[in-house]
Amino acid sequence: MKSETDLPRFSYPISGTASELLVADDAVFLAFARKVGADVDGLLAGYAIDDKATLRGLLGTKVDVQLLTGDVDGGLATLDKVRDLEEKPQTRVSSGLITREILKAEKDSGAASGPAFQAAFAKEFKGTVDGLPWAAVQDRVKQSRAQYSTLTPDVLIGSVKASMDPAVTKTKSLDFRMAQSLVLLRTVLKDRYPVKETIVNTLAAYIKTNNAAKPDIWAARDVSFGSAATLTPVLIGIWDSGVDTSLYPGQLYVDPKPGMHSPHGLAFDQQGKLYNGDLQPLSAEQKAFYPRALEIRRGRNDMVDGIDSPLAAKFREDLKTTPPDQLAAEQKTSTFLSQWMHGTHVAGIAVKGNPAARLVVAQFDDGIEYLPFAPTVEWANTFKADFVQIGDYFREHHVRVVNMSWSDSQSEFEDWLAKASTEKDPSVRKQMAAQVYAIWREAVEGAIKRAPETLFVCAAGNSDSNPGFNGDVPASLILPNLITVGAVDQAGDETSFTSYGTTVVLDADGFQVESFVPGGTRLKESGTSMASPNVVNLAAKLFALDPSLTPEKAIALMEKGADASPDGRRHLINPKATVAMLQSKTP
């Protein structure tokens, strides 16, 4: 297998909705789960899959089916295989946490519930958690505690209502990825939720005992320019969901002849039509919910950080008391607003500490899985023409560096078709997605090629996988003026979510990075989306100091200035060292 697209597709007809199936009786759900498990076994036996992330995903589903069907020994053996496939050292030490202890407790107690099982789980879980190396697992442990603190059946049902029910309504079936997710959520409902209190209390005690913050390496590496007097203005493209340009006065490019578009760049609506604006317009419903969305994100962040704030308390209480249908509606709106805020947050990271920075907006909606219509070849060709405009605009207006904190793959177009089309056959959807994806890939690659003197910086992705195998665009592309960035935390350790591979050549801070969102609120966000603009920030400063640098020379300089980890997996940008290298060669 050379690509994820080489795998066959499966479909699972269901009566009713996915949320109803989630809570169905064991006889009904286990019949469904066994079908999914049989397909997993067929893939593992019939295909030579070298990609470890794909194998981890398939084996993870196999474990879920084994847990649900009471195959304790089989589940433990499969968990060992998953751990052996982990590629990140810090992930390996916590691989299978909770599931392994549930299976061991079932084996020790001879039961899957009741006082004896609960006591056995508490003993197993505490023993495992207390032995974990804090430096390696602290972020995951904090996130798990926050997640389980707010876990309720209604939260799970609301999530399925939002993410799966609309597709099932159209096709009366689940595709393989949805089926995998539903099997996982069933294990959460049936096996993890009953031990929720033990999980939360054990993790809280472990955090309290070990809660020493990791050192932050980035402040010492930072470079901030105080004056633009000796700098050349540098145009920074934010190819994203749009930017609240009112937050960056004095750091905006102004097109002297904007024509039909904004003086700060280009913007295209969901159908690919050019319009005059810097940020997607919100509906009345979205505007009304936006303050609430900010409260949710800040409350969630406080919970992860262990801050017992009023917002964290409200976040917990709301999740406990909000009915599933309302949770589903709020999740749908929150998903849109998350991508809507994205470009503004990215822009703040890109221009920080650089008075010579001038923002150029290239706006489109990359939340493709959630668009309310099915993609077509005509739609893709429209955006191909739009991306030609974007590439030409960057070249003609001498944009020096562009941030692309987004990525799309054929499987995402399949997911979109599963949710928005009425086509029931997943093999046909795969063919349809392949056509659209081929145009999309060509469009993205073509735009980058049309601006050869512009450096494009993209995010590796947050799926803990190889973008080359997944066919993620632009992260899988290899071009002389493109660089792909992975995410590390405040100490320079690889995050659990960051993707990796041969195209990922630099790593930057992508963990709880603070920046603006529309309206001026500052939020901390994590992802390779935050790592990528940190590299853009450094590149823009290099171009401001030496406008003669080509993209290739800027990449080489950043790579030379980066610090490689002992295992060679990470290459941490070092802005201070890189700028010093450039200045030492500048008369």
Side-chain angles (χ1 to χ4, degrees), residues 62-63 66-67 71-80 103:
K62 184 178 179 71
V63 170
Q66 289 169 321
L67 177 60
D71 183 4
V72 173
D73 289 334
L76 290 170
T78 305
L79 281 174
D80 288 342
L103 289 167

Side-chain angles (χ1 to χ4, degrees), residues 391-431:
D392 288 348
Y393 193 88
F394 289 153
R395 183 187 69 251
E396 293 166 2
H397 293 261
H398 308 291
V399 176
R400 296 309 316 273
V401 58
V402 173
N403 189 79
M404 304 171 74
S405 284
W406 48 271
S407 197
D408 302 303
S409 64
Q410 180 177 318
S411 64
E412 289 182 72
F413 284 101
E414 288 183 56
D415 290 343
W416 181 6
L417 284 163
K419 293 173 181 176
S421 77
T422 57
E423 176 57 58
K424 296 182 179 181
D425 188 337
S427 297
V428 175
R429 292 199 300 264
K430 180 181 177 181
Q431 294 172 1

